[in-house]
mmCIF file of all heavy atoms in Angstrom:
data_model
loop_
_atom_site.group_PDB
_atom_site.id
_atom_site.type_symbol
_atom_site.label_atom_id
_atom_site.label_comp_id
_atom_site.label_asym_id
_atom_site.label_seq_id
_atom_site.Cartn_x
_atom_site.Cartn_y
_atom_site.Cartn_z
ATOM 1 N N VAL A 92 15.220 13.074 -34.999
ATOM 2 C CA VAL A 92 16.330 12.873 -34.064
ATOM 3 C C VAL A 92 17.669 12.813 -34.800
ATOM 4 O O VAL A 92 18.637 13.440 -34.417
ATOM 5 C CB VAL A 92 16.100 11.600 -33.232
ATOM 6 C CG1 VAL A 92 17.363 11.207 -32.479
ATOM 7 C CG2 VAL A 92 14.948 11.797 -32.258
ATOM 8 N N LEU A 93 17.701 12.061 -35.882
ATOM 9 C CA LEU A 93 18.939 11.926 -36.659
ATOM 10 C C LEU A 93 19.337 13.247 -37.322
ATOM 11 O O LEU A 93 20.520 13.565 -37.434
ATOM 12 C CB LEU A 93 18.786 10.829 -37.715
ATOM 13 C CG LEU A 93 18.710 9.400 -37.164
ATOM 14 C CD1 LEU A 93 18.264 8.428 -38.229
ATOM 15 C CD2 LEU A 93 20.084 8.986 -36.609
ATOM 16 N N GLU A 94 18.348 14.018 -37.722
ATOM 17 C CA GLU A 94 18.657 15.314 -38.323
ATOM 18 C C GLU A 94 19.226 16.277 -37.259
ATOM 19 O O GLU A 94 20.173 17.008 -37.504
ATOM 20 C CB GLU A 94 17.386 15.906 -38.929
ATOM 21 C CG GLU A 94 17.620 17.260 -39.603
ATOM 22 C CD GLU A 94 16.342 17.821 -40.187
ATOM 23 O OE1 GLU A 94 15.311 17.121 -40.177
ATOM 24 O OE2 GLU A 94 16.386 18.977 -40.674
ATOM 25 N N ALA A 95 18.649 16.201 -36.049
ATOM 26 C CA ALA A 95 19.066 17.127 -35.014
ATOM 27 C C ALA A 95 20.475 16.813 -34.511
ATOM 28 O O ALA A 95 21.222 17.717 -34.136
ATOM 29 C CB ALA A 95 18.099 17.065 -33.848
ATOM 30 N N VAL A 96 20.867 15.536 -34.524
ATOM 31 C CA VAL A 96 22.152 15.171 -33.927
ATOM 32 C C VAL A 96 23.324 15.591 -34.811
ATOM 33 O O VAL A 96 24.480 15.662 -34.340
ATOM 34 C CB VAL A 96 22.179 13.652 -33.617
ATOM 35 C CG1 VAL A 96 22.451 12.846 -34.882
ATOM 36 C CG2 VAL A 96 23.199 13.339 -32.538
ATOM 37 N N GLY A 97 23.055 15.869 -36.072
ATOM 38 C CA GLY A 97 24.108 16.409 -36.941
ATOM 39 C C GLY A 97 25.307 15.495 -37.095
ATOM 40 O O GLY A 97 25.159 14.309 -37.452
ATOM 41 N N PRO A 98 26.529 15.999 -36.826
ATOM 42 C CA PRO A 98 27.730 15.189 -37.030
ATOM 43 C C PRO A 98 27.791 13.951 -36.121
ATOM 44 O O PRO A 98 28.551 13.032 -36.406
ATOM 45 C CB PRO A 98 28.863 16.154 -36.645
ATOM 46 C CG PRO A 98 28.260 17.520 -36.804
ATOM 47 C CD PRO A 98 26.834 17.379 -36.454
ATOM 48 N N GLY A 99 26.969 13.929 -35.094
ATOM 49 C CA GLY A 99 26.973 12.764 -34.217
ATOM 50 C C GLY A 99 26.033 11.663 -34.678
ATOM 51 O O GLY A 99 25.758 10.724 -33.918
ATOM 52 N N ARG A 100 25.580 11.743 -35.917
ATOM 53 C CA ARG A 100 24.617 10.792 -36.466
ATOM 54 C C ARG A 100 25.116 9.340 -36.375
ATOM 55 O O ARG A 100 24.423 8.459 -35.856
ATOM 56 C CB ARG A 100 24.352 11.181 -37.918
ATOM 57 C CG ARG A 100 23.320 10.357 -38.678
ATOM 58 C CD ARG A 100 23.320 10.794 -40.127
ATOM 59 N NE ARG A 100 22.278 10.172 -40.897
ATOM 60 C CZ ARG A 100 21.104 10.723 -41.171
ATOM 61 N NH1 ARG A 100 20.827 11.923 -40.667
ATOM 62 N NH2 ARG A 100 20.201 10.094 -41.887
ATOM 63 N N ALA A 101 26.331 9.087 -36.857
ATOM 64 C CA ALA A 101 26.868 7.736 -36.828
ATOM 65 C C ALA A 101 27.049 7.251 -35.406
ATOM 66 O O ALA A 101 26.825 6.072 -35.101
ATOM 67 C CB ALA A 101 28.211 7.683 -37.570
ATOM 68 N N ALA A 102 27.437 8.129 -34.516
ATOM 69 C CA ALA A 102 27.637 7.749 -33.119
ATOM 70 C C ALA A 102 26.303 7.333 -32.501
ATOM 71 O O ALA A 102 26.229 6.342 -31.755
ATOM 72 C CB ALA A 102 28.241 8.921 -32.340
ATOM 73 N N LEU A 103 25.238 8.062 -32.780
ATOM 74 C CA LEU A 103 23.930 7.739 -32.223
ATOM 75 C C LEU A 103 23.434 6.422 -32.776
ATOM 76 O O LEU A 103 22.833 5.614 -32.048
ATOM 77 C CB LEU A 103 22.944 8.857 -32.502
ATOM 78 C CG LEU A 103 21.608 8.725 -31.781
ATOM 79 C CD1 LEU A 103 21.798 8.816 -30.257
ATOM 80 C CD2 LEU A 103 20.618 9.798 -32.234
ATOM 81 N N VAL A 104 23.673 6.172 -34.046
ATOM 82 C CA VAL A 104 23.267 4.892 -34.644
ATOM 83 C C VAL A 104 24.022 3.752 -33.995
ATOM 84 O O VAL A 104 23.468 2.665 -33.779
ATOM 85 C CB VAL A 104 23.487 4.926 -36.164
ATOM 86 C CG1 VAL A 104 23.290 3.527 -36.774
ATOM 87 C CG2 VAL A 104 22.534 5.915 -36.820
ATOM 88 N N ALA A 105 25.301 3.964 -33.686
ATOM 89 C CA ALA A 105 26.077 2.937 -33.004
ATOM 90 C C ALA A 105 25.508 2.640 -31.635
ATOM 91 O O ALA A 105 25.507 1.499 -31.162
ATOM 92 C CB ALA A 105 27.537 3.365 -32.898
ATOM 93 N N LEU A 106 24.966 3.666 -30.977
ATOM 94 C CA LEU A 106 24.387 3.490 -29.635
ATOM 95 C C LEU A 106 22.998 2.856 -29.730
ATOM 96 O O LEU A 106 22.673 1.985 -28.930
ATOM 97 C CB LEU A 106 24.300 4.843 -28.938
ATOM 98 C CG LEU A 106 23.850 4.798 -27.478
ATOM 99 C CD1 LEU A 106 24.904 4.127 -26.612
ATOM 100 C CD2 LEU A 106 23.567 6.196 -26.970
ATOM 101 N N LEU A 107 22.204 3.290 -30.724
ATOM 102 C CA LEU A 107 20.859 2.771 -30.914
ATOM 103 C C LEU A 107 20.780 2.150 -32.299
ATOM 104 O O LEU A 107 20.340 2.787 -33.273
ATOM 105 C CB LEU A 107 19.828 3.913 -30.788
ATOM 106 C CG LEU A 107 19.823 4.706 -29.470
ATOM 107 C CD1 LEU A 107 18.799 5.815 -29.528
ATOM 108 C CD2 LEU A 107 19.547 3.796 -28.282
ATOM 109 N N PRO A 108 21.189 0.909 -32.459
ATOM 110 C CA PRO A 108 21.285 0.291 -33.785
ATOM 111 C C PRO A 108 19.967 0.253 -34.540
ATOM 112 O O PRO A 108 19.959 0.185 -35.776
ATOM 113 C CB PRO A 108 21.786 -1.134 -33.474
ATOM 114 C CG PRO A 108 22.415 -1.041 -32.118
ATOM 115 C CD PRO A 108 21.646 0.006 -31.383
ATOM 116 N N GLU A 109 18.855 0.311 -33.812
ATOM 117 C CA GLU A 109 17.553 0.266 -34.499
ATOM 118 C C GLU A 109 17.333 1.480 -35.403
ATOM 119 O O GLU A 109 16.412 1.500 -36.231
ATOM 120 C CB GLU A 109 16.418 0.149 -33.495
ATOM 121 C CG GLU A 109 16.278 1.334 -32.543
ATOM 122 C CD GLU A 109 17.011 1.128 -31.232
ATOM 123 O OE1 GLU A 109 18.038 0.416 -31.236
ATOM 124 O OE2 GLU A 109 16.585 1.717 -30.218
ATOM 125 N N LEU A 110 18.174 2.531 -35.234
ATOM 126 C CA LEU A 110 18.049 3.709 -36.086
ATOM 127 C C LEU A 110 18.751 3.518 -37.422
ATOM 128 O O LEU A 110 18.656 4.384 -38.299
ATOM 129 C CB LEU A 110 18.652 4.919 -35.380
ATOM 130 C CG LEU A 110 17.986 5.362 -34.074
ATOM 131 C CD1 LEU A 110 18.699 6.572 -33.509
ATOM 132 C CD2 LEU A 110 16.510 5.691 -34.287
ATOM 133 N N ALA A 111 19.495 2.418 -37.578
ATOM 134 C CA ALA A 111 20.297 2.230 -38.802
ATOM 135 C C ALA A 111 19.453 2.240 -40.048
ATOM 136 O O ALA A 111 19.835 2.833 -41.077
ATOM 137 C CB ALA A 111 21.085 0.931 -38.713
ATOM 138 N N ALA A 112 18.273 1.635 -39.993
ATOM 139 C CA ALA A 112 17.421 1.574 -41.194
ATOM 140 C C ALA A 112 17.004 2.976 -41.627
ATOM 141 O O ALA A 112 16.963 3.295 -42.820
ATOM 142 C CB ALA A 112 16.197 0.714 -40.931
ATOM 143 N N GLU A 113 16.711 3.816 -40.667
ATOM 144 C CA GLU A 113 16.285 5.182 -40.973
ATOM 145 C C GLU A 113 17.447 6.037 -41.445
ATOM 146 O O GLU A 113 17.322 6.878 -42.334
ATOM 147 C CB GLU A 113 15.648 5.812 -39.724
ATOM 148 C CG GLU A 113 15.161 7.235 -39.929
ATOM 149 C CD GLU A 113 13.923 7.301 -40.817
ATOM 150 O OE1 GLU A 113 13.112 6.337 -40.769
ATOM 151 O OE2 GLU A 113 13.769 8.276 -41.539
ATOM 152 N N SER A 114 18.632 5.784 -40.873
ATOM 153 C CA SER A 114 19.773 6.650 -41.170
ATOM 154 C C SER A 114 20.504 6.282 -42.449
ATOM 155 O O SER A 114 21.138 7.110 -43.070
ATOM 156 C CB SER A 114 20.777 6.603 -40.009
ATOM 157 O OG SER A 114 21.428 5.341 -39.992
#
Side-chain angles (χ1 to χ4, degrees):
V92 168
L93 289 168
E94 181 180 355
V96 79
R100 183 186 186 97
L103 189 64
V104 170
L106 186 68
L107 303 177
E109 63 267 28
L110 298 180
E113 180 71 32
S114 71

